[in-house]
Amino acid sequence: MEQTWDASAYWKEQSFQTLHLQHWIFNYQLGYLLHPQITVGEKSLKIADVACGNAAWLLDLARQHPQHEYFGLDITPAHFPAAGNLPPNTHLHTLDAFADLPSEYVGVFDVVSIRTIYSAVIDNNIQPLLLNLIKMLKPGAYLQWAENDASTLTARAPEDIGKTAMSTI
């Protein structure tokens, strides 16, 4: 019998503390929450964190820039902080980023961030995910993507992901 991948079951097994540690390591190694070329300014923006886990990245950014509206999206709400512990400008929702994108997420975000999603990509096929991430963006918006390089234990932004993915879209 063929075993099917149940991403939500896998991610429920990750601990809240592990996700916080991973967040801290990323910030320490990258040196930023938002890439320095992404300017958020004072105008209210909509910022999404796809595969947000426990929303640590989103909540850190919301503390630095409280004028924006934040959306954490994940395949499972297992690690979401309780709604009563969230600032009023922060919203967490369930979303499978590889499935059809609900219309309320199409073309609405000024910044979309995603980190450490590589372990959920099946057969190296990032096309459904990348198409959804691009669909989420407003014209002229930013996509920030970072992965952990397990061979060197460092966090980094993929250098050629756009070129590779765009040539297959």
Side-chain angles (χ1 to χ4, degrees), residues 18-94:
T18 299
L19 294 173
H20 264 301
L21 180 59
Q22 182 183 62
H23 168 68
W24 181 84
I25 290 169
F26 258 81
N27 291 347
Y28 178 77
Q29 290 184 338
L30 291 175
Y32 57 81
L33 288 171
L34 276 177
H35 191 280
Q37 291 181 355
I38 299 175
T39 55
V40 292
E42 292 304 314
K43 179 183 156 203
S44 181
L45 303 176
K46 288 187 177 184
I47 299 174
D49 184 10
V50 177
C52 70
N54 62 4
W57 178 86
L58 202 66
L59 292 170
D60 271 0
L61 193 61
R63 277 189 286 281
Q64 289 182 11
H65 303 281
Q67 71 275 25
H68 305 305
E69 192 171 5
Y70 296 93
F71 296 82
L73 308 167
D74 204 298
I75 195 166
T76 177
H79 301 295
F80 289 176
N85 294 328
L86 296 174
N89 63 339
T90 303
H91 318 279
L92 303 179
H93 302 281
T94 303

Side-chain angles (χ1 to χ4, degrees), residues 120-139:
V121 175
I122 299 171
D123 295 328
N124 291 321
N125 183 12
I126 66 164
Q127 187 171 355
L129 172 64
L130 185 58
L131 286 173
N132 281 342
L133 296 173
I134 291 168
K135 285 179 191 175
M136 294 173 78
L137 298 169
K138 289 178 180 177

